[in-house]
């Protein structure tokens, strides 16, 4: 977030720039203009929102994704990663939407005058709830759901796909896979992100320019053509690579640390007689085979199936 937020601020400014009278000529010009007017501070406005919310968002994302994927009937198929990613995207939207609403309002606080100076995301959301009700605090939720279902299914499918191209992925390869997954994910949902930002930057209540997601997309297209849906894409893609390289790498590293502690292996037993007993039962009892396979999923050395797939191919269902 510390590295990525300035580029996120540039994105939000470009997405909400006035097309008739544009302030910014491009990514770099926008960055320079913000710094010239508002110092480095301008780039970091609103950072408190993702700093305090991204932990919860990512625990929902990776928790839901991992569990849905492992519990599906074909855990190793790309299809199961696709479904698990979609459900994770949906699940995190309910936290992500208000978090990004506060972020957007704070990032644009020098542009939109709400008549009040917010001290942080909670203050901002409280104010919105007080003046507009709880619905106001969830402004942009529909757009967030539409964005993050394709956003996170493409995220996990592409990561998994890239990781499978290499027998034993090393550190640079893993970082590259995460970075590319981030880029693929944003390419898959970018037009919807533009609409989401417009919705969240829009005034509330009677002063609102747009009545909803479709209205905003339609008006944007009529006003600017297809270009409307791609404003700010450059800064998003530049940000996505380091951000998601770090994210995937840290998740699999932490999961490795947990798994190496060996706690999960206890229930398998460690004497050869126990193993022999298991093997005998597998031969005679098919339902046990299913059980063993799911046990293997649990003790696999990393969170991501690609690694289970590479490390212990012979233990897999196929
Ligand atoms: N469109 C998405 N939400 N894609 C998933 C990427 C999420 C990641 N936290 C990022 O901001 O880059």
């Amino acid at each position: 977030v510390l590295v990525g937020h300035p580029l996120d601020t540039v994105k939000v400014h470009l997405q909400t720039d006035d097309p008739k009278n544009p302030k910014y000529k491009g990514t770099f010009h926008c960055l320079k203009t913000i710094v010239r007017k508002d110092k480095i501070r301008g780039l970091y406005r609103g950072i408190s929102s993702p700093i305090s919310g991204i932990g919860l968002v990512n625990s929902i994302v990776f928790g839901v994704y991992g569990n849905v994927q492992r519990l599906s009937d074909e855990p190793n198929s790309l299809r199961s990663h696709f479904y698990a990613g979609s459900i994770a995207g949906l699940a995190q939207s309910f936290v992500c939407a208000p978090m990004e609403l506060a972020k957007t309002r704070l990032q644009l606080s020098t542009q939109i005058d709400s008549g009040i100076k917010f001290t942080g995301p909670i203050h901002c959301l409280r104010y919105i709830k007080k003046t507009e009700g709880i619905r106001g605090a969830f402004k942009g939720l529909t757009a967030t759901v539409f964005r993050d279902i394709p956003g996170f299914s493409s995220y996990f499918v592409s990561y998994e796909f890239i990781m499978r191209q290499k027998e034993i992925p090393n550190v640079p390869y893993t970082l590259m896979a995460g970075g590319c997954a981030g880029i693929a994910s944003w390419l898959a949902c970018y037009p919807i992100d533009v609409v989401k930002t417009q919705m969240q930057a829009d005034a509330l209540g009677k002063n609102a320019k747009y009545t909803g997601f479709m209205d905003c997309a339609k008006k944007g297209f009529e006003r600017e053509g297809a270009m409307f849906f791609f404003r700010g894409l450059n800064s998003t893609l530049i940000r996505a690579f380091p951000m998601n390289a770090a994210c995937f790498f840290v998740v699999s590293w932490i999961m490795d640390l947990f798994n190496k502690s060996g706690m999960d292996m206890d229930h398998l037993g460690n004497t050869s007689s126990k193993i022999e007993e298991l093997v005998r039962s597998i031969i005679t009892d098919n339902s046990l085979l299913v059980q063993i396979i799911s046990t293997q999923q649990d003790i696999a050395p990393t969170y991501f199936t690609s690694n289970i797939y590479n490390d212990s191919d012979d233990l897999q269902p196929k």
Side-chain angles (χ1 to χ4, degrees):
V1 173
L2 285 177
V3 176
H5 194 76
L7 286 162
D8 187 80
T9 304
V10 169
K11 172 191 89 169
V12 168
H13 278 262
L14 288 170
Q15 286 178 332
T16 53
D17 197 14
D18 180 5
K20 280 200 226 81
N21 187 14
K23 280 197 287 298
Y24 311 116
K25 290 198 268 272
T27 309
F28 195 62
H29 181 246
C30 178
L31 192 102
K32 273 195 309 198
T33 311
I34 296 172
V35 174
R36 200 172 342 108
K37 277 215 199 110
D38 203 13
K39 307 277 176 307
I40 290 294
R41 225 209 121 126
L43 295 174
Y44 279 99
R45 273 184 202 283
I47 194 173
S48 49
S49 188
I51 284 278
S52 44
I54 196 90
L56 179 59
V57 165
N58 274 345
S59 65
I60 298 173
V61 167
F62 285 91
V64 171
Y65 160 74
N67 281 291
V68 173
Q69 181 262 325
R70 264 179 281 125
L71 291 174
S72 73
D73 30 319
E74 265 182 293
N76 275 328
S77 66
L78 283 181
R79 192 156 17 98
S80 82
H81 290 273
F82 179 87
Y83 287 138
S86 319
I87 297 170
L90 173 67
Q92 58 87 54
S93 296
F94 301 90
V95 179
C96 183
M99 175 185 91
E100 292 196 353
L101 174 63
K103 174 191 71 88
T104 307
R105 292 296 170 91
L106 293 166
Q107 283 173 317
L108 296 174
S109 58
T110 49
Q111 315 286 317
I112 40 179
D113 184 20
S114 51
I116 174 161
K117 214 173 151 10
F118 298 120
T119 53
I122 300 291
H123 182 205
C124 179
L125 289 175
R126 280 227 178 101
Y127 175 82
I128 294 173
K129 182 168 168 267
K130 204 172 79 199
T131 50
E132 291 297 322
I134 193 74
R135 277 188 68 108
F138 283 93
K139 196 164 163 113
L141 176 64
T142 315
T144 307
V145 169
F146 284 151
R147 178 194 71 179
D148 286 344
I149 291 178
F152 281 100
S153 52
S154 52
Y155 191 52
F156 287 112
V157 167
S158 52
Y159 182 78
E160 193 57 33
F161 180 80
I162 298 169
M163 289 300 276
R164 283 183 189 190
Q165 307 309 307
K166 210 159 183 83
E167 195 83 30
I168 301 160
N170 55 10
V171 171
Y173 191 84
T174 310
L175 287 170
M176 186 277 295
C180 290
I183 288 184
S185 146
W186 281 106
L187 285 176
C189 66
Y190 196 73
I192 311 173
D193 185 67
V194 178
V195 179
K196 193 227 62 166
T197 302
Q198 293 269 340
M199 295 293 302
Q200 292 186 327
D202 194 14
L204 294 162
K206 293 170 289 302
N207 300 326
K209 274 197 292 224
Y210 309 115
T211 57
F213 176 80
M214 283 314 285
D215 182 51
C216 176
K218 215 171 119 237
K219 283 184 178 149
F221 183 71
E222 278 161 6
R223 206 170 51 223
E224 295 167 55
M227 275 310 288
F228 168 72
F229 296 107
F230 296 97
R231 283 210 243 153
L233 179 61
N234 285 346
S235 57
T236 305
L237 296 183
I238 300 170
R239 167 187 168 277
F241 195 92
M243 182 94 184
N244 295 292
C247 183
F248 270 105
F249 187 77
V250 172
V251 171
S252 41
W253 176 55
I254 300 280
M255 294 310 275
D256 257 4
L257 282 185
F258 281 138
N259 284 336
K260 284 207 182 94
S261 71
M263 299 177 297
D264 287 341
M265 293 199 180
D266 289 352
H267 59 278
L268 260 192
N270 44 17
T271 61
S272 54
S273 68
K274 244 206 170 134
I275 292 173
E276 222 182 281
E277 192 187 299
L278 276 172
V279 172
R280 263 180 226 293
S281 345
I282 294 166
I283 296 166
T284 51
D285 182 358
N286 241 333
S287 70
L288 220 96
L289 180 59
V290 176
Q291 232 175 23
I292 299 282
I293 289 164
S294 48
T295 310
Q296 288 301 329
Q297 303 282 352
D298 284 336
I299 62 160
T302 62
Y303 178 74
F304 297 104
T305 358
S306 53
N307 299 306
I308 298 173
Y309 201 76
N310 290 333
D311 288 344
S312 49
D313 224 359
D314 49 341
L315 294 171
Q316 291 307 302
K318 81 174 182 175

